[in-house]
Structures are given as structure tokens and as C-alpha cells.
């Protein structure tokens, strides 16, 4: 089976797993107060050049978004602005609202939030009959695999500063965002860890989709958002007893550039795949292979003939996508740190 | 001062107030278990021809919407669908989300929800990573003064049945909706209390904007939504000790057609106003008076020359509306059960 | 029927009702921003000699406690300490917990919270695995009709200051507490409005049980607790459109000492009742009339022979109390601002 | 360093870790729908002889308690009864209340809940002004290391049935409870998995403290409590992408009696320790070694001379306990699946 279904079905990169094996029989302080969490947090502070950053390790993306946003929205009527395609809007079973906070949804063509979108919300929210937007949520890469440029992030930063909003970035696939070709070759310079440490009030470095067994590293830069995080993590069920499991994993992932190397592999495999599909499409236009959405990281959305879907499904694990024409069906292909050239070639041979 | 600012700044219709005076020194059972609440509830059951309806009296619209919807959405991940202009979306300070439930916002041109809007939401919400929509919220009249026709409500009913959704109608201005000319003369027949008793799973009869000092009557028709309302009303702070204050008011309002008469007056005054404005606009096109939104009940949205706004404000209480052109400013005029022909004429004389 | 069932079943004192009649057809600003609310708030600031106090008017006690405490407990893991007999612990259907906050219950013999009770809670709550107590809730008079003395309140104040806790006082029956004989004649001086303005961080002046149709006046003295109250009141459904109804009532109640006069009447009638019962008990010890609880304000708890309960119930409205012996049943008698000497004498004649 | 500080600071039993290594590079369905979770769930259903049981795997104890209880308490005013020493009352940062539900605390001498405690709560909770208790929470072993007998659990079951309460058992240390000498030799027969499958409505099998890296297995037996668990787990941030990590661990732990063997080792080491301490106490009464609490599983609470505490702390990791006399300090010693006889002997040598 060629696996192009998602980037979170394998276990961990072997180095990460080995580190867990190596430390398994150590007795450390529980609840994330161990030396491994401390070391991993230090690595992050170094990488982003923000020695003042607060770092917390949590077990998953929804948990991190929920815990962080509910903590940052410090009064019950504070809300967060998101593109309506944002993971928190659509794929977290209402986890933010379950904490009592509204999300201000902004219609978005490509899944990105813009300063105009922020202005539209702020224009309306004028008095105590409305919620009070206090922050924005963005994902990099987005849920459809696109990336924000430096220029775009700076423009959002400006809009946030204008309106007193915090800027929170969901980095579930940050390894892929930072190592995407489009980012590395951007005319305005690449977004990197150091830039994120400047432009964001908080963000998380995703582990689950980038080589860890599980785990995300929440990084808080704005002092006014740092308080009371440990009790809030505990209260929401996110503080695991053996917190060092997270520290050990991130300490390994972030050493020797492993984290970014893993993202780069996912992107490279996706590019190979995309190039191959384009070649097939050009070679045989009758097939009608077509890209549904722009391609920038490790997710590819294409139309394939409907009759091909069950054939592919025999040999490939993938998901369909809710775009359908009379003759064609959308499918989503996702590569990961573990995808190999052989898998890509095997898939292309099937087209 | 000519008062066209809103329909909730006066006290109560004199008959309603007199009933409170007449019953003032009676000792009744507290918390809404008195004979006046029982009598008013019976009146409602008669009016809607649903002897099985459960009726509860609450003190205001936001409280009613919050208490009812949070009660009807019986698990934390259940959500309610609303036009994005719905009162619960924009003007209740996130009261629904504060109970932990998401609102699925549907973009709406005219403030109404449609079966297509419902389908769009249901299409996406497929598995446990999404919230589960379980009901719809509509207002009649809407926040911009429009009404739903029988045909429209039946179409929504059908969509709700198809998807297992309850249909909840916010009747803050129900007196105006039911007595609007457009409703009374509708080709498909008027929406009336009896029809609401058939088509809705629950709705509320608004008192605050229709002649009461305060108070709304929540009517629940669907058995599966009736349970546990009293503890939930109590828990949300909506159960007043002297519950009979609400029973006495509704018992008076709903006797002798008073409720609908009051709505009819508001509509009639608005029509006089609208007719007069149209005449002024025709007589002097250079003024550029223009209706911003369709007119069906007791709210009128028009453009007036910008320089006229401060002049009007000296003699008229009204609100501006966020529609602006280079030369004109939107204003909102609202009539009520107490608006008089003299006031309307005085306003028209100012144009 | 002699009415000794509670102090919240009548309507309003006639002067209060007349004020509502007099102002009924005025158009004022909605949502509590009118001149009557402003005037009533000014009266309160004068009475308590705290020109800096923030004042908000809400419709009932549970709503006030819920809104105030949830606002004051500014992070989700902040908790409030209360005697386990406190109204918020037992008789508000979990309204505080429904906002997400824990109440730290302290076992209490007489319904009062003590510095020792506070110490016991604070001793345990040491780290992020525990909630963080940030305030105390007390009622004056308590749910069993007892009052706090100046000395007791100062001792609680000291304990609060030591531990960084706010002190919130539920004054549902404040009129009775302040005018009770025990308070007026206390060796350490009476608790009065001015003293409350000094010793509390926040408290509410109860209207519902003290002569109003409905309504409570929340008074916030501590600057750090004042922020964001209006959106939070709105979000919890407590902001009524015709907010002036509350202002008008309190402006009347607080004029010419009416508020305290009404409390004094309730207390005086209760004392007459208690004296009469004591006389009956002395005159005929075989009846076994006995006071279950100390008596200080307008509530009397006594044991009567079981067979007498149904007889009394034919002519008197009262509640039984969950204290039972082989031969006797506890009953609760409550007087109000409207109780008359005739009623008291009629009751005593039945014993 | 002799480690007697807790039972959750090591990693996993080597077999469990090896299973994670062996399955690391498999692509399985995400979110707990993989074959390992299915297999582990089947093992549990077999062990408890309840083929109808629903099984869900979560990452930690607080998360499991919060998710399960909030799901089982299906309306906002439903509450759960617990001994006031229960983990949910004291050591989960208000996680239950954060979901909006009250815990009815029952004072408890030894940390256990009794039918009398349940009766006391139910007696008071009579109408809609009170929360509605719908379940009980107990821990086996308790937070102080005690176990419930069959007879005790059956008595609780009876009280639950009488009042329509569900019975939920927190099995964070279930391996120790089931293998404790007191349980194995109980006159009324040992509590075992099969018995739990009969007596409980739901319980969880703790992994974190019993040989897993992390993870707890929630077992739901009562049909009425099974619905909607997956969206609720997702909403509370408890559904990890690589859900098989939990399935693999439990599938290993529950094979070949490993789970109970690990519990048995912890208990055996604790018994050795307790026996040794008793011997020391008898040999040198001047030391004043004394058991503070009964000993039944893997936790020992003793008084040691105050001056000994810093000396011990140089060579032993342990926690102090808040029981202090003039001369002695309470300490807590905890053994685990990994504690060795050498460690126990080394500790005893220090006394």
C-alpha cells in the first residue's frame, strides 16, 4: 500500500524513539518539570532568539489550541478571529467554543486570514453587545498546505497592533512551512524560527506531524499571555505525569536540524509528486488531471476521473476531497517525513 | 423629541401596568408556579392550539435565547445554525458560545436563513471532528424587520426534518411580524400563532418590545426539548422570585387581542412613515432619500443627506446605520406600539 | 391566610410601584444607561461614602451572584470560598460551577464563614494541581437569618488581606441584617452601609426581598474587580432592555430611609412573633415549642408538634424545615416588609 | 538515590516500550480507530466478561475523569458525588467544575465514600434550586492507598440503584488495588476485573501508574452512558492522532497477566517496606516511627523524627505529608512496578 493519506499515521522518527528508549528507566520530576523539558525549552529559546519565551509541551494540536486560546482570551466575552477554514473552526469539534469563547469567522478563499478580514470584524464590534476580539488565529502551513510570507505576516502583525490583538500561529505543520520551496526562495526572505519569535505573540511547534510520537511545543512570547499556564494546562487535562516524554522528543527533534530536515523531506516528496502529476496531465490531457488548489508544501489536491478512484484505492491510501465535477473527483495526497521516492514513483505509475 | 430610536425604551402598555398594580399585594407561589403564569400559559396553549406545549416565562431576549438553546443542545458538541446576522451571532455578547456551544454561521444577504444555507452546513459536518448541528435559529421578524412567509417556514421545516434539526424561532418582535401587511396579505396565507404551533419545535413570544415592561414567553412544542427546563432556567439566573410578574403581564397582553393590536399599531405607523418618505423622495429627488433595505414591519432604513443628520438629531431620537455614501448617511427609524400619527407627521415635516 | 412563607411573594412597596407608574411613558436610554439608574447609583455611592464605587443593577440574586463571582474570578481555575450552607452552594442549581468555577465548601455549624475556615482551605491549596481560591462569599443576613458583627467582618477582612482574597457579601436580605436589633445594639457598633463600603470588595443590596418588584444593586469597591462588567452582564442574560425599571425602583427604595424602614418592619414583626412563641412555650411546656436555630432577623425556626402541622397549614402559609424528632416537626416562619401585627397575633392565637 | 517518591516517574515497562518500537513504522488508521486499539479493547471486554462494553483510550487520569464525567453528566445541572478527598475534588485543578458541573463533596475520614454519604446528599437535593446528583466517583485504590471490598462496592451499588446514580470508579492504581493482599485474601472474595464489569457503570484501567508510558482505558458498561464519547473526547483535546500508541501499550500490558504482575510487585515491595518499618519501630521505640494511615497497597504514610527528614532526603526521593507533631513529620513512601528489594533494603538500612 502506498501511503499518501496523511502525515500523522506513522510513529516517530527512529532517533526520537531511541531517545525515549534510552531514558526510559530514569526517574525524573513529573508534570514537565524535568531536565529534558528544560533542555528542549532552552533549545527553542535559542532557535528563536528569545531567551524570555515561555515554553510548554502538550500532547496534541487541538489540546494546544484550546488550552492556549482559552488562556489568552482572559475574559469570557473575548473572542479570536480566524479564517473560516481554520482548524479551530472546522476540525476541532467546537473545542474553542466549549471553553466559552466565540470565534469570529472570516470568509476566506484560500484559507488565509488577511488584514482586510481583521478590519471587517473590528469595524462591527463596537460595544458591549458584541464580543470583544482580542486575537487572531492563523496556521502555517494552512489546512490546505499554503504558507504565509514574511510580508503577509508583517501585515497581519500591523493589523493586530492597531487593534490590540494577539497573533497566535498554529504550527502543526511548521516543519513543512519553514522548509517549503516557496518559503526558502521568497523574494522577501524566508519565514524562519527567529522571525516567528519576533512577529508572533505565541505559536506552537508541531511535533505530531513532524517526526514525534506525539506532542506540540507551545511558545509564548508576549508577557501578558504567559500567566497561569500550568494550572490551566492541568485543568484541561493536558499535563501528563511523565512530562519528560515530551521534553525528550523535542530535545531530539530540535537537535542537528532534524526537525527541519523531516519537513524538507515531506516537501521534496510532494514536489516530486506534483511534478509527476503535471507531466502526466500534459502527456494525456484526456485524463483531466487538474490541481484544485495551489501547491506549496506537502499536500496536493487534484481532480482525477471518477472511475479511477476505486482503482487507486486498491493500492493507495488517500482521502477524497469535497470537490466533485460530473466526471472527476477531488482527492488529497499528503506526504510526510517518511515518504520515499519509491512510493512517489509507484503512485505516479498508477496514473 | 420625536422618538423613533427603538421599540424598547418606554415602559408597558397601561393595561399591563394596571394589572401589576392590581395584583401587587397578592401573595402567590414564587418562581413562576403561580396562577397567573398558569393562566397565561393556558392562553398561549389555546392560541396556538397545542394543549401539550410547555411554556416558561423569562425576563429578556438574550436570556431566553441562551437558556433555550443551551437546553436544547443537549450535548456539548451540538451546535445551532443561524444566519450570520442573527441576534445570537452579533448582539448577545457571545451568550451562546459562553454556554459552550458553537453557532454555525451562514452568510445571508437579507438576514434570513434558507434551506440551502442549512444544506451547506450539513454537507460539511460529517464526523466527530466537527460539531454536530442539531437545530436552527431564526428570528421573525428578523433583525432588519423582514418576515418569513409560510412557504419559507415550511421549506425550513422540511430541511430540519431531513437533517434531524430542531427549529427555534426568536419572536422578540413577533407581534409586528404577525400583523405586518405583507404577512396578512400573503398569497400563501398569513403566518399566525396556530401555524407557529405547528411548524416550530420552539419559539418565544416577545413581550419586551411588544407592550410588556419586560418578559418573553418561551413555548416548547417538541417533547424531546421539554425536559429539565426549570433547573436550567434557575441555573442561568433567569428564574425570578416573583415569577407572577411575568404571568400577570402576559395574561393581560394576550387577552382581547391586545398583543397583536400593539404590533399592528407599530406597523401602521411605520407604513405611514414609509409612505410619507416615498412621497417626499418623489417630490424632491434632489434630496436622494432612498430605502436601504426592504420594509415590512416596524423598522425603516433610509439614506438621508449627511448634513441633515445633525439637524434631525436635534428633534428626533434615532440611530445611524453603518451604510454611508459620499453624500448620504444611513439611518434607522423604529416605531412601536406607542408611536402616534402626530409623531410620524412631525417627523415627515422635518424632511 | 396568614402569610409567613417567605419574604418574596408580594409585589413591591406601593411607593416603588407608584414610581414605575409615574415614569412608565418616558423614553429613556436602554440597558441601564438612563438617568434613574445613574441617580440610584449616586444615592448608593453617597450612602456608603464611596464616590468611586461601581454600581450595576441586576434582576435577581442568583443572577447577581453568578455574574459577579464569575467576573471576579478572572481565570478559569480561580475559586471562591463559602460556608457550605451558602446560597451559592445549595440553592442556585450549581450556577457558579456552571460558569466553570469551583466553590471551596467549608463546613459550618451556623452558616457563617470564619477566618479559621479560610485558613483551612488556604493551607491545602498549594500548587497548580489545586484550584486557586481568590475570594470569599458570605451572606448578611445568612440563609438562616443570622448576622455578621463588625468584629466578625473585620476578622474576615484580615484573613482575606492575608491571602489575597476578595470579600463579597450577598445582601439579599441586607435591609433586615442592618436593622436587626442584634446589629443595632451590638457592643462593637452596628454594621451599616458606610462600614460595608469599607470592609467589602463588593456586595449587593437586595431589592427583591426588601420592597422591590425585583432587582439587586451590585456595588463594586475594589478597582481590580470593576472591569468588563457590562459585557459580562449582557453575556449572562442579565441586561434588560428597560434597565431604568431597576433604577427607578432603587432610587425610590433608597430615598427617605424607606429601604431600612422596610427591613425594620420585617424584624419587628419577627421579634413579636418570637416573643409570643416564647411566651406560649413557657405557658404550656407540654407543647414542646422550641427554637431550632438562633433568631436575629426575620426568620424563625421552631419545632411544633407534628399533629399541629396540618392544622396550621389550613390557616397559615409556611414551610417545613428538615429537622424532625419523633414528636415534632421543624417549621420556618418568615416575616417581610408587609407583615402586620394582626397577622402575627392571628398566628400566635393558633398556637 | 532510592526512589520512593511516586509511581509515575519512570517510563514504561520494557515490554510495553518494545511493542511501541516494533510497531513504530506502521501506518494505521488515526484517532484510535486502528487494530491495536481494537485488540486491546477486545482484551478488556474478555477480561471483564462484558462483550458489550465500550472502551476508549485516553492519555491521562485527569483527562479521563474530566471527559468521562462531563459526558456522563448529560445536563448542565447534573452533579457527581465524591468523598472530599477524591482526586477530582482536590488534585485536578477544578477540571470537573471547569466543564460546568458541581461535585457534591462528602466529608470522609478515610477517603472512601459510603452509602450514608450518598444518602446525606440525596436527602437535601429535592428540587430545581439544587443541582441533581446523577453519579458517584470513587477511586480504587484511593488517594491514600486504601481499597474497597466487594461488600463495600455492592453497598454503594445498591445506594446508586436506589437513587438512579451511575457508579464510576477511577482506577489510576487499579493494578495495585486488585493485587493487594487485603483484596486477594478478603473474606468476601477479591474484587477482580469481572466483578468490576458487573458492579460499575464505568471505570478506567490506569496505565500511567501501572507500567505504561501514559494512557488510561475508559470502560463504559451502562448503555445510557456510551453515546457521543468520540466527539466529546475530541472536543476536550483527548483524541491523539496516533491513537494506536495507546492501543499498543494496553494490548501489551494486558497480555500474559503483565498488568496485574506489575501491581503485585508494587504491593509486595510496599509490604516489605512496611514490615521493615514495623520491625524498626518495635526495635527502637524511641524513634517514634508510626503509621499515620492504614496500609493496603503501595503507599505508606509514616511519622519520622523531624531531624531525620533532611538526612533521608539526601539519599531517598520521597514526599512529606501534611501531618506534623512537635517532634515528628509525616512522610509518604510509594513503591512501583519497578521498585526492587534492594531499594527497600537500602531504605530500611537508613532508618
Amino acid at each position: 500500500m502506498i501511503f499518501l493519506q496523511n502525515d500523522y499515521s506513522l510513529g516517530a522518527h527512529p532517533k526520537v524513539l531511541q531517545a525515549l528508549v534510552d531514558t526510559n528507566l530514569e526517574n525524573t520530576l513529573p508534570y514537565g518539570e524535568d531536565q529534558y523539558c528544560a533542555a528542549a525549552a532552552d533549545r527553542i529559546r535559542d532557535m528563536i532568539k528569545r531567551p524570555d519565551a515561555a515554553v510548554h509541551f502538550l500532547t496534541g494540536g487541538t489540546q494546544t489550541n484550546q488550552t492556549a486560546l482559552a488562556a489568552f482570551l482572559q475574559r469570557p466575552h473575548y473572542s479570536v478571529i480566524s479564517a473560516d477554514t481554520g482548524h479551530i473552526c472546522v476540525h476541532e469539534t467546537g473545542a474553542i467554543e466549549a471553553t466559552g469563547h466565540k470565534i469570529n469567522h472570516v470568509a476566506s478563499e484560500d484559507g488565509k486570514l488577511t488584514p482586510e478580514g481583521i478590519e471587517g470584524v473590528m469595524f462591527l464590534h463596537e460595544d458591549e453587545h458584541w464580543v470583544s476580539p482580542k486575537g487572531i488565529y492563523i496556521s502555517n502551513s494552512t489546512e490546505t498546505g499554503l504558507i504565509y510570507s514574511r510580508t503577509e505576516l508583517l501585515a497581519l502583525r500591523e493589523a493586530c497592533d492597531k487593534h490590540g490583538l494577539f497573533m497566535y500561529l498554529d504550527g502543526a505543520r511548521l516543519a513543512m512551512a519553514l522548509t517549503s520551496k516557496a518559503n526558502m526562495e521568497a523574494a522577501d526572505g524566508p519565514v524562519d524560527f527567529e522571525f516567528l519569535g519576533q512577529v508572533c505573540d505565541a505559536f506552537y511547534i508541531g511535533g505530531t506531524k513532524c517526526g514525534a510520537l506525539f506532542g506540540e511545543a507551545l511558545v509564548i512570547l508576549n508577557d501578558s499571555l504567559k500567566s497561569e499556564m500550568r494550572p490551566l494546562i492541568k485543568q484541561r487535562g493536558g499535563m501528563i505525569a511523565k512530562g519528560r516524554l515530551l521534553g525528550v522528543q523535542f530535545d531530539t527533534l530540535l537537535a542537528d536540524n532534524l526537525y527541519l530536515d523531516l519537513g524538507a523531506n515531506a516537501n521534496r516528496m510532494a514536489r516530486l509528486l506534483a511534478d509527476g502529476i503535471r507531466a502526466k496531465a500534459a502527456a494525456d490531457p484526456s485524463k483531466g488531471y487538474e490541481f484544485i488548489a495551489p501547491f506549496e508544501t506537502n499536500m496536493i489536491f487534484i481532480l482525477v476521473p471518477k472511475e479511477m478512484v476505486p482503482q487507486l484505492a486498491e493500492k493507495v491510501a488517500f482521502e477524497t476531497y469535497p470537490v466533485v465535477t460530473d466526471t472527476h473527483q477531488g482527492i488529497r495526497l499528503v506526504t510526510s517525513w517518511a515518504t520515499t521516492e519509491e512510493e512517489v514513483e509507484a503512485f505516479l505509475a498508477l496514473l
Side-chain angles (χ1 to χ4, degrees), chain A:
Chain A
M1 204 71 168
I2 304 165
F3 193 84
L4 295 167
Q5 187 163 359
N6 61 48
D7 40 16
Y8 47 78
S9 276
L10 276 178
H13 185 273
K15 283 190 187 172
V16 172
L17 194 59
Q18 187 58 44
L20 289 173
V21 171
D22 292 345
T23 56
N24 186 52
L25 292 184
E26 294 181 20
N27 281 302
T28 57
L29 285 178
Y31 301 118
E33 300 192 303
D34 60 278
Q35 67 272 32
Y36 295 102
C37 285
D42 281 343
R43 271 195 205 279
I44 291 170
R45 286 186 276 258
D46 282 352
M47 280 161 43
I48 62 174
K49 297 209 166 63
R50 285 293 298 265
D52 60 324
V55 179
H56 300 276
F57 299 99
L58 293 106
T59 61
T62 296
Q63 185 181 91
T64 306
N65 287 335
Q66 181 185 51
T67 304
L69 289 175
F72 299 164
L73 298 170
Q74 297 181 355
R75 306 306 296 269
H77 61 296
Y78 289 179
S79 63
V80 63
I81 301 171
S82 169
D84 59 6
T85 53
H87 204 262
I88 57 169
C89 297
V90 296
H91 241 217
E92 301 189 356
T93 323
I96 303 304
E97 291 88 351
T99 70
H101 296 284
K102 189 181 189 73
I103 305 172
N104 299 110
H105 290 201
V106 176
S108 171
E109 282 299 302
D110 63 357
K112 292 199 215 169
L113 187 64
T114 62
E116 293 68 37
I118 295 172
E119 289 298 332
V121 171
M122 297 312 296
F123 174 69
L124 288 173
H125 287 70
E126 61 187 358
D127 67 21
E128 69 245 6
H129 296 265
W130 296 81
V131 293
S132 294
K134 291 293 177 185
I136 68 167
Y137 165 94
I138 56 175
S139 311
N140 199 26
S141 57
T142 70
E143 292 71 18
T144 50
L146 299 188
I147 59 165
Y148 283 91
S149 70
R150 268 182 176 254
T151 303
E152 286 170 327
L153 291 176
L154 287 169
L156 288 170
R157 175 76 266 168
E158 196 177 1
C160 285
D161 288 343
K162 177 178 168 192
H163 293 294
L165 305 171
F166 64 76
M167 180 166 163
Y168 171 73
L169 185 147
D170 176 332
R173 293 187 175 97
L174 193 56
M176 290 72 142
L178 298 191
T179 59
S180 80
K181 196 154 176 281
N183 184 54
M184 303 295 277
E185 299 176 357
D188 54 351
V191 172
D192 56 17
F193 277 116
E194 187 175 347
F195 180 74
L196 291 177
Q198 293 303 317
V199 80
C200 294
D201 291 293
F203 67 102
Y204 85 77
I205 303 173
T208 299
K209 292 172 178 164
C210 307
L213 272 186
F214 62 93
E216 329 294 327
L218 173 64
V219 183
I220 312 177
L221 302 153
N222 182 329
D223 281 346
S224 74
L225 304 180
K226 289 176 185 168
S227 73
E228 308 281 1
M229 287 307 300
R230 284 184 56 82
L232 292 173
I233 291 171
K234 173 71 185 174
Q235 189 187 60
R236 298 208 181 281
M239 189 176 280
I240 57 172
K242 303 175 188 180
R244 76 148 180 273
L245 298 177
L246 296 159
V248 167
Q249 290 184 82
F250 271 95
D251 196 39
T252 308
L253 268 179
L254 298 174
D256 306 325
N257 215 43
L258 178 58
Y259 185 75
L260 294 179
D261 287 348
L262 296 182
N265 183 75
N267 289 334
R268 197 165 55 87
M269 291 303 114
R271 255 192 345 269
L272 277 182
L273 200 54
D275 291 346
I277 293 167
R278 268 189 220 102
K280 296 276 180 184
D284 184 356
S286 74
K287 286 283 174 44
Y289 299 136
E290 198 178 317
F291 283 74
I292 300 168
F295 157 70
E296 293 185 335
T297 55
N298 69 322
M299 288 196 276
I300 293 173
F301 300 85
I302 55 169
L303 286 174
V304 297
K306 280 184 177 172
E307 65 274 15
M308 189 182 280
V309 174
Q311 296 163 14
L312 282 176
E314 284 172 27
K315 306 207 171 156
V316 188
F318 65 94
E319 288 188 3
T320 58
Y321 195 69
V323 173
V324 189
T325 70
D326 283 353
T327 55
H328 284 65
Q329 166 71 50
I331 67 170
R332 187 187 80 162
L333 306 173
V334 185
T335 56
S336 81
W337 62 267
T339 306
T340 61
E341 289 191 28
E342 289 69 37
E343 285 179 293
V344 171
E345 279 158 21
F347 177 83
L348 291 173
L350 294 174
L351 287 191

